[in-house]
Amino acid sequence: MASKETCRTELRYAVRHLSDRGLYSASRWAAEQLMGIEQDPSKHTPSHTRFQRGSSSIRRRFRTADSSTSGTPSAGVSYVTTPSMIGVEDYDYDPIDNDFYLLGKSYFDCREYRRAAHVLRDQTGKKAVFLRCYALYLAGEKRKEEEMIELEGPLGKSDAVNKELGSLERELSTLRKNGTIDPFFLYVYGLVLKEKGSENLARAILTESVNSYPWNWSAWSELQALCTTIESLNSLNLNNHYMKDFFLANAYAELRMHNESLSKYEYLQGTFTFSNYIQAQIAKAQYNLREFEQVEVIFEELLRNDPYRIEDMDMYSNVLYAKECFSALSYLAHRVFLTDKYRPESCCIVGNYYSLKGQHEKSVMYFRRALKLNKNYLTAWTLMGHEYVEMKNTSAAVDAYRRAVDINPCDYRAWYGLGQAYEMMGMPFYALHYFKKSVFLQPNDSRLWIAMAQCYETEQLHMLEEAIKCYKRAANCNDREAIALNQLAKLHLKLGRSEEAALYYQRDLERMEAEEREGPNMVEALMFLARHCQTKKRFDEAEVYCTRLLDYTGPEKETAKSLLRGIRYERDVEHFPP
């Protein structure tokens, strides 16, 4: 890893380079990482370090004992120094060309992309030519979105395309053949190829771009979207640089390698100690590992440091929803609504709030509003599908889930939702197909294994041995809902395997005791174990279970009394035969 001062210098240059070229998301990302590097107190007054206070506890909480070495390169590999950035900044400084560039940049900043491209049509400076190409690409995307709204079919789909892609591909291909292309042109070229479906070439072009200029996070993000398997990720020939670690951490998270992702982020925190981005990514990984308590702690501290943050807060609302924290979710919804009510994330948070209140129609209204602001907002499609399931509108739920998997085929929640919808329609074969897809993507989620098991148990399938296998996997995946052990006991009992049934009832009882839970499952377990031990002539154990049942006030108390009399009689007969 480069020194903190080197990282700081490089990122300062990068913020300016990226902003000059209209790459605002990448520029903002670089600026946030710049502020994430701990400032030297001897060089800065307390007011300059105010932004960084209060975050160190998160780093301490989630750092592991060996995290300082977890992300280091293998022996013999060192981080290379990137070529001088001063040349990148000043290669096209010409007073006349620069005036045209300034006018075109002004139009670009006002989102008048075609006007910007027209002003820059005869310019030859690299910055001006890049801005023209990028403006044309964005103009084509803007028109495509307009056509999608005008021409969308019954399922909200359309065949609209970016009509600028062909001309841009020809121009950028020529620049590359002539050897006059720079890393920023390569980024746009990669975008064009990705949009046209040339994924292998797009991957190669974007790799070339990030190797030449590693500070463009937008290029890394597009490259990550093309790495849908670990094999495609490992095939990339990337220069060693701290930006590569950011990329790998993000890619591991998308490939559901959450522990590897956490390890990378913990390593990066050694330099980017106060990065809100890294903390948010750690929260995402913990969320996917279903460590909701830790996720809540991180998001609370993120909001203290950055109170007007909306990015990633939709995930925080999902955690509050899962924990049924009405007041906290209400406060979060009110907060983001006042900050920016026309952000898709804000609408999604409000939708979650109304869903928790049971107002499903109003929840759907806000999810639809989120999708009007961003048609590719995956979370909104999935959550809207959940709402339609609650409303028993299975056809609308299926449509919503299908849109979600069209956007991201690796979204296990949408596949799981499709399975639920088809299960509701009494079609277990279809449901099982979708549950298998979801469990392939998220094999450590007990809920998915339980859903598969319940499909196997239906009358149409009645594959009880397969159901048992699924419940066993669920039990080994930290079954938070405490369903698997009870169902395993019931299925073994149904198949006449009383010893196996007793084993699972005993395990379920021990878990309930450890978690201090009461309920019908405990009564069921105690009743079965009492009878089983009586049958096996283990009268002392049977008496203990019956005695515990006497503490209940329902019909189980009378049953326990009857059992207890029978147990004592059998024991007396065994000890004192007539």
Side-chain angles (χ1 to χ4, degrees):
M1 176 73 77
S3 70
K4 291 181 180 180
E5 197 56 44
T6 300
C7 294
R8 192 177 290 119
T9 302
E10 291 177 350
L11 287 169
R12 281 181 186 141
Y13 276 117
V15 170
R16 191 157 57 248
H17 298 161
L18 296 162
S19 183
D20 284 350
R21 290 160 178 83
L23 299 169
Y24 297 122
S25 293
S27 177
R28 183 188 70 170
W29 188 91
E32 287 179 349
Q33 304 328 303
L34 174 62
M35 290 303 299
I37 302 172
E38 186 173 12
Q39 301 287 348
D40 184 349
S42 64
K43 297 181 181 179
H44 298 276
T45 61
S47 63
H48 290 147
T49 59
R50 185 172 59 230
F51 182 81
Q52 298 181 341
R53 289 182 180 169
S55 304
S56 57
S57 62
I58 291 179
R59 181 188 173 204
R60 289 196 300 271
R61 186 174 292 113
F62 298 107
R63 288 293 291 269
T64 56
D66 61 346
S67 63
S68 60
T69 60
S70 59
T72 53
S74 57
V77 178
S78 62
Y79 281 85
V80 298
T81 304
T82 307
S84 172
M85 304 175 70
I86 296 174
V88 177
E89 185 185 41
D90 295 337
Y91 57 67
D92 60 349
Y93 190 81
D94 178 87
I96 298 174
D97 186 276
N98 199 45
D99 291 343
F100 282 99
Y101 161 77
L102 290 173
L103 178 58
K105 181 67 162 51
S106 298
Y107 290 148
F108 184 95
D109 290 345
C110 294
R111 297 173 60 85
E112 297 183 76
Y113 300 126
R114 292 202 181 277
R115 201 175 180 192
H118 177 74
V119 166
L120 299 169
R121 66 192 183 282
D122 296 324
Q123 303 308 303
T124 56
K126 285 192 175 181
K127 242 187 341 189
V129 175
F130 168 81
L131 198 63
R132 175 176 59 77
C133 291
Y134 192 40
L136 281 173
Y137 172 79
L138 292 178
E141 287 294 296
K142 187 178 179 182
R143 181 58 194 144
K144 183 180 79 171
E145 289 179 8
E146 292 167 353
E147 288 182 0
M148 286 174 69
I149 295 170
E150 296 163 3
L151 306 173
E152 66 181 18
L155 297 181
K157 297 182 180 180
S158 79
D159 298 322
V161 295
N162 185 337
K163 294 183 173 62
E164 302 296 335
L165 297 181
S167 60
L168 283 171
E169 184 182 15
R170 288 190 294 274
E171 181 175 356
L172 294 167
S173 176
T174 302
L175 286 174
R176 186 165 181 256
K177 287 175 183 174
N178 295 340
T180 56
I181 201 165
D182 73 10
F184 301 103
F185 286 109
L186 287 168
Y187 164 61
V188 177
Y189 191 18
L191 282 179
V192 169
L193 292 168
K194 179 173 173 251
E195 191 87 7
K196 293 193 75 175
S198 303
E199 294 191 355
N200 290 333
L201 184 55
R203 200 180 294 118
I205 294 296
L206 288 167
T207 300
E208 193 177 335
S209 175
V210 297
N211 279 339
S212 303
Y213 187 90
W215 301 275
N216 181 2
W217 182 245
S218 294
W220 287 107
S221 298
E222 295 296 334
L223 182 59
Q224 182 271 311
L226 293 167
C227 297
T228 54
T229 63
I230 189 64
E231 290 77 20
S232 60
L233 180 66
N234 290 336
S235 69
L236 300 177
N237 185 19
L238 297 169
N239 290 343
N240 286 305
H241 192 272
Y242 59 85
M243 289 296 293
K244 177 185 174 182
D245 287 320
F246 276 107
F247 166 73
L248 289 175
N250 190 46
Y252 288 151
E254 290 299 318
L255 292 170
R256 300 166 300 284
M257 298 165 62
H258 303 300
N259 290 318
E260 291 84 350
S261 177
L262 277 172
S263 178
K264 279 287 180 189
Y265 282 125
E266 288 165 357
Y267 168 64
L268 285 164
Q269 278 191 320
T271 299
F272 300 90
T273 311
F274 299 104
S275 169
N276 286 345
Y277 167 81
I278 290 178
Q279 290 170 12
Q281 298 309 305
I282 288 174
K284 284 184 182 180
Q286 297 286 359
Y287 174 80
N288 285 305
L289 293 170
R290 296 180 62 74
E291 301 291 344
F292 291 156
E293 296 294 336
Q294 296 177 2
V295 175
E296 191 175 3
V297 169
I298 296 176
F299 275 119
E300 284 174 357
E301 195 149 359
L302 272 176
L303 280 175
R304 279 196 293 272
N305 294 333
D306 191 1
Y308 298 102
R309 183 188 183 94
I310 293 179
E311 188 179 4
D312 304 315
M313 288 300 119
D314 50 346
M315 182 179 294
Y316 182 30
S317 77
N318 290 341
V319 172
L320 297 176
Y321 181 94
K323 295 182 69 180
E324 298 186 0
C325 299
F326 284 89
S327 57
L329 185 52
S330 172
Y331 176 70
L332 179 64
H334 182 70
R335 188 170 185 162
V336 297
F337 203 72
L338 290 178
T339 301
D340 188 350
K341 66 180 181 180
Y342 292 116
R343 280 277 292 272
E345 296 93 333
S346 300
C347 296
C348 187
I349 292 166
V350 176
N352 267 340
Y353 167 69
Y354 282 115
S355 177
L356 192 58
K357 289 184 70 178
Q359 299 181 24
H360 302 298
E361 294 84 357
K362 206 162 186 178
S363 178
V364 166
M365 182 183 78
Y366 277 96
F367 290 135
R368 285 196 173 279
R369 187 177 293 178
L371 291 166
K372 283 183 179 179
L373 296 166
N374 180 2
K375 292 180 76 69
N376 292 322
Y377 187 26
L378 177 66
T379 301
W381 283 114
T382 305
L383 293 178
M384 190 164 71
H386 295 345
E387 294 308 300
Y388 281 130
V389 167
E390 292 292 331
M391 295 161 66
K392 305 294 188 290
N393 188 347
T394 51
S395 60
V398 167
D399 288 345
Y401 289 134
R402 288 197 184 282
R403 287 300 300 273
V405 297
D406 285 345
I407 293 166
N408 182 4
C410 295
D411 179 31
Y412 78 92
R413 296 177 185 86
W415 291 115
Y416 174 64
L418 277 169
Q420 281 186 308
Y422 279 103
E423 191 175 35
M424 285 177 64
M425 291 189 281
M427 303 167 72
F429 287 97
Y430 283 98
L432 186 62
H433 170 72
Y434 292 119
F435 285 142
K436 282 181 177 178
K437 281 184 172 290
S438 69
V439 84
F440 173 77
L441 294 168
Q442 189 77 358
N444 296 321
D445 193 325
S446 62
R447 297 169 301 171
L448 310 183
W449 289 107
I450 288 169
M452 278 183 64
Q454 289 169 345
C455 266
Y456 283 123
E457 284 186 89
T458 57
E459 289 183 12
Q460 293 99 315
L461 275 68
H462 200 67
M463 299 168 66
L464 300 187
E465 293 294 347
E466 294 301 316
I468 285 173
K469 290 177 185 176
C470 291
Y471 281 128
K472 283 181 178 178
R473 287 295 300 267
N476 292 331
C477 292
N478 190 18
D479 174 25
R480 293 172 183 270
E481 286 76 20
I483 294 172
L485 291 173
N486 180 263
Q487 290 301 118
L488 280 166
K490 286 180 177 177
L491 284 175
H492 280 296
L493 187 60
K494 195 172 184 178
L495 293 169
R497 304 169 185 165
S498 59
E499 287 296 333
E500 288 88 344
L503 174 67
Y504 285 111
Y505 272 126
Q506 183 64 46
R507 285 179 59 187
D508 195 27
L509 186 63
E510 289 169 359
R511 175 169 176 166
M512 287 186 281
E513 289 170 348
E515 296 175 359
E516 298 181 351
R517 282 191 291 110
E518 297 284 341
N521 284 5
M522 180 166 280
V523 172
E524 182 185 333
L526 289 169
M527 194 72 74
F528 174 83
L529 289 168
R531 286 174 171 149
H532 178 73
C533 290
Q534 182 185 13
T535 304
K536 298 296 180 182
K537 300 190 181 303
R538 287 155 35 198
F539 299 121
D540 291 342
E541 290 179 54
E543 189 170 345
V544 169
Y545 293 128
C546 284
T547 304
R548 290 181 62 179
L549 283 167
L550 294 175
D551 294 335
Y552 292 87
T553 56
E556 58 270 13
K557 184 174 182 178
E558 296 304 317
T559 306
K561 286 181 180 178
S562 175
L563 273 173
L564 202 54
R565 285 194 294 269
I567 290 165
R568 287 169 178 167
Y569 175 76
E570 286 187 38
R571 183 170 52 193
D572 290 345
V573 168
E574 187 176 83
H575 288 169
F576 308 104

